[in-house]
């Protein structure tokens, strides 16, 4: 009944792939906001790439991507209240490859300005949405689970880079 | 084993419906932020309706809804960095109909104000959350997949319209 | 074919658990923003706890948690346009227990400041992100579905509390 050749097994596996990938993507913000190098080393392939575009540095290799999370700059961002926030991603699985298109907000508590009171929810200066980025995650199936081969992220600011990424979620409608 | 009458087939299909609907909802922000009329034409039924309430225009028909994405106003918003951001939706499938309740943020880069530096993440004026809306998506099953019969969206601003929509996610607890 | 001892039944049930939990988490923002005490009474166990940390009051018992949603303070927040916004959660099911790690934004319309015009999307003063919190939901399986035994939420502000919660999504990478 679990012969990979059966339609039933194929359907179940496709579903389980989707759910594994949802958890992989949901783990990213916690890893970024705690500086978890072990996550990056485990989920990126050895030659994995994280490409943030021309305006920010990128990294190659799972160890380099993990090391960035331990850098003084990233640790300072965490100490300041860095928060990554991801919405519902679009996921396409095709055999041993998968593509995820997701939006991500990068937030930080405001350091100045007046505190606002919301009844039953205390007072707060609130948060600054520092960046809104479109992400494309190219995944490959490995014996230990799905691995990130390449993450490409681009700021949503009216330039073409983010739109090119976002169209990856619309391939079936082209 | 895939006789639709069996409990197994019914369960698998219910799961696959959920996952198809998640991708349909996850495709919406990319379609809005790239002006993809083809998406709107494909996913709305021919007589589909997009109702934004009294304060903003609405549209009828999949072609009209798609055409709006190509309008000069919408294209200007895209050129300015328009970003739609959707959270985890609540999905209820009932045979050949489904109801989705979701929150959506509509964001745009700030055009003025001081840039803020976040370590390891560059400097940015940040984003303005222009609207936060509650959405109800009434879906019907068609031979080519789930179609949107009606999308109703209301601003979350203390008025009753959004609360009426949101209660759609709480029907089983009423 | 639905003998709980079979591998097939176990896999299907694990998938259905995930999807039920996604809907449980997706129902939370609508319940908070409509003041739906019935939701809280139904989804928290009788001895359930909602712990918001030292800076804000917490509650014990499903009835107490529900009653808070009906309090004058919470009702005033709703009248002012309170919006909860949750991203993609990380979910781990282990038999009759489950752990969910999620981010949540608590938003409110700005009461002052200049309105901004976004083409095709009207004018708005926009929203204030009042709080960004990390949540841990400890769930238990009950005959009527998954119940919340404990919800722990901590502000993401650079302090250790939120990081401790977020690491719950990274256990498999530790």
């Amino acid at each position: 009944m679990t012969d990979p050749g059966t339609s039933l097994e194929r359907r179940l596996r496709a579903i389980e792939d989707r759910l594994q990938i949802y958890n992989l993507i949901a783990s990213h913000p916690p890893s970024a906001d705690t500086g978890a190098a072990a996550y990056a080393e485990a989920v990126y392939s050895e030659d994995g790439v994280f490409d943030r575009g021309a305006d920010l540095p990128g990294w190659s290799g799972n160890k380099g991507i993990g090391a960035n999370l331990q850098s003084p700059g990233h640790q300072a961002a965490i100490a300041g209240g860095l928060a990554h926030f991801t919405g519902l991603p679009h996921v396409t699985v095709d055999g041993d490859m998968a593509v995820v298109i997701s939006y991500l907000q990068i937030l930080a508590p405001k350091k100045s300005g007046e505190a606002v009171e919301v009844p039953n929810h205390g007072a707060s200066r609130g948060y600054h949405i520092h960046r809104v980025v479109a992400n494309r995650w190219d995944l490959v199936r490995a014996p230990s689970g799905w691995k990130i081969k390449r993450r490409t992220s681009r700021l949503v600011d009216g330039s073409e880079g983010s739109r090119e990424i976002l169209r990856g979620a619309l391939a079936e409608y082209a």
Side-chain angles (χ1 to χ4, degrees), chain A residues 136-156:
Chain A
R136 178 187 172 104
W137 311 75
D138 286 288
L139 309 181
V140 291
R141 189 194 303 275
S144 58
W146 289 94
K147 298 274 183 186
I148 305 166
K149 188 92 183 147
R150 182 179 194 92
R151 175 183 168 201
T152 313
S153 81
R154 291 291 181 277
L155 197 61
V156 183

Side-chain angles (χ1 to χ4, degrees), chain A residues 29-90:
Chain A
S31 76
D33 298 336
T34 62
Y39 165 88
E41 290 189 22
V43 301
Y44 276 89
S45 62
E46 248 180 77
D47 61 350
V49 170
F50 176 17
D51 164 3
R52 299 196 289 175
D55 55 332
L56 286 175
W59 296 275
S60 285
N62 63 335
K63 287 190 191 301
I65 297 166
N68 167 53
L69 299 176
Q70 295 289 332
S71 67
H74 196 83
Q75 291 291 319
I78 291 173
L82 182 70
H84 286 69
F85 195 100
T86 189
L88 180 74
H90 183 275

Side-chain angles (χ1 to χ4, degrees), chain A residues 7-173:
Chain A
S7 155
L8 171 61
E9 177 62 21
R10 273 200 313 272
R11 290 168 74 186
L12 268 174
R13 188 157 179 179
I15 293 164
E16 290 169 341
D17 282 338
R18 275 284 283 278
L19 296 181
Q20 285 163 17
I21 291 170
Y22 283 145
N23 263 1
L24 175 67
I25 299 299
S27 301
H28 166 254
S31 76
D33 298 336
T34 62
Y39 165 88
E41 290 189 22
V43 301
Y44 276 89
S45 62
E46 248 180 77
D47 61 350
V49 170
F50 176 17
D51 164 3
R52 299 196 289 175
D55 55 332
L56 286 175
W59 296 275
S60 285
N62 63 335
K63 287 190 191 301
I65 297 166
N68 167 53
L69 299 176
Q70 295 289 332
S71 67
H74 196 83
Q75 291 291 319
I78 291 173
L82 182 70
H84 286 69
F85 195 100
T86 189
L88 180 74
H90 183 275
V91 180
T92 314
V93 179
D94 182 9
D96 292 335
M97 316 226 294
V99 174
V100 179
I101 306 297
S102 66
Y103 287 78
L104 180 73
Q105 293 182 12
I106 300 177
L107 301 142
K110 287 185 185 170
K111 303 297 183 200
S112 61
E114 223 173 312
V116 169
E117 176 87 27
V118 171
N120 208 32
H121 294 81
S124 162
R125 275 197 198 121
Y127 283 75
H128 163 71
I129 303 183
H130 190 62
R131 292 168 65 82
V132 177
V133 293
N135 291 268
R136 178 187 172 104
W137 311 75
D138 286 288
L139 309 181
V140 291
R141 189 194 303 275
S144 58
W146 289 94
K147 298 274 183 186
I148 305 166
K149 188 92 183 147
R150 182 179 194 92
R151 175 183 168 201
T152 313
S153 81
R154 291 291 181 277
L155 197 61
V156 183
D157 65 353
S159 57
E160 179 58 18
S162 63
R163 288 196 294 274
E164 192 182 323
I165 287 176
L166 295 173
R167 284 187 201 107
L170 304 170
E172 65 182 291
Y173 307 108

